[in-house]
Amino acid sequence: MTTAHDYSEGIDPEYALKYAVQHWSGDRAEIVEGIIDTVTPNWAHERAAKLVRRQIAARVDELGCLEGSGNLDLPGSSNWYIPDIAVVPEELTYGDGPLVPDQTLLIVEITSESNAETDRVVKRRRYAEYGAPLYLLVDRMEKTVTLFAEPGRLGYTKVDGPHPFGTPVRLPEPFALDLDTSGL
């Protein structure tokens, strides 16, 4: 008679969950507070991301950075995010592993009906907790843009907005540029 082996010894559940999501049959999936969610942006969402990318691209290049939507791990939690846009130093992008929020210069999330509250509340709190220096929330449902800065354990201490679409939003150093939000 064979007995069942107890695999709980020596297996890190956080690692196992994040490993499974990374290898999720080719789909883009993230984990938000322990819930697995596939990321399937629509064309309006992609259009808004493109408009932000175009405006920051030259400065991102000058800074020796890359903007994209690669994986962000939040170690010690059941969170694994795929931001709509993250700006990271290019030298950090040569490996296959994920980055963590404090390695970014800017994170941009663009709301959709299915994830608006997650972007507004959960991700804003977690990005601050994990040290993302700037978090730009493009809220397509509310038609507003808000920039969060100066992260801390209890959240961002500096908030610029919400500003209605059409209001220029200043991205501080190292970007030092005004983001045109009229086309979002």
Side-chain angles (χ1 to χ4, degrees):
M1 179 167 115
T2 59
T3 57
H5 179 69
D6 181 6
Y7 287 101
S8 64
E9 291 180 19
I11 294 178
D12 177 1
E14 176 189 336
Y15 174 80
L17 178 62
K18 291 175 181 180
Y19 180 87
V21 166
Q22 291 172 64
H23 298 87
W24 181 289
S25 67
D27 287 337
R28 288 174 41 107
E30 63 182 1
I31 309 169
V32 178
E33 301 302 306
I35 306 296
I36 299 172
D37 188 24
T38 56
V39 180
T40 54
N42 63 32
W43 287 109
H45 185 279
E46 289 298 301
R47 186 179 142 294
K50 175 183 166 187
L51 292 172
V52 172
R53 277 189 172 113
R54 277 186 178 167
Q55 293 182 66
I56 65 173
R59 185 66 184 134
V60 167
D61 288 345
E62 290 171 6
L63 292 168
C65 292
L66 178 72
E67 84 270 358
S69 57
N71 299 331
L72 289 179
D73 189 10
L74 285 73
S77 77
S78 59
N79 292 291
W80 179 270
Y81 295 163
I82 301 175
D84 293 310
I85 303 169
V87 177
V88 299
E90 192 163 352
E91 67 266 10
L92 299 178
T93 65
Y94 292 109
D96 288 335
L99 299 178
V100 292
D102 68 357
Q103 293 177 303
T104 68
L105 277 67
L106 168 70
I107 295 175
V108 181
E109 293 285 3
I110 301 164
T111 64
S112 296
E113 286 185 33
S114 64
N115 73 351
E117 282 306 304
T118 298
D119 289 346
R120 291 180 193 132
V121 179
V122 177
K123 286 188 174 182
R124 179 184 77 211
R125 183 188 62 204
R126 290 296 192 177
Y127 284 143
E129 180 183 350
Y130 281 82
L134 297 172
Y135 174 48
L136 183 69
L137 176 65
V138 178
D139 194 327
R140 293 186 315 115
M141 313 303 80
E142 300 290 327
K143 298 187 179 350
T144 62
V145 179
T146 307
L147 180 66
F148 300 92
E150 298 179 15
R153 253 185 42 76
L154 299 177
Y156 285 99
T157 60
K158 187 172 181 184
V159 180
D160 183 10
H163 298 287
F165 284 178
T167 305
V169 173
R170 182 75 178 172
L171 295 181
E173 291 293 337
F175 297 95
L177 61 84
D178 292 323
L179 190 67
D180 178 2
T181 66
S182 59
L184 299 174

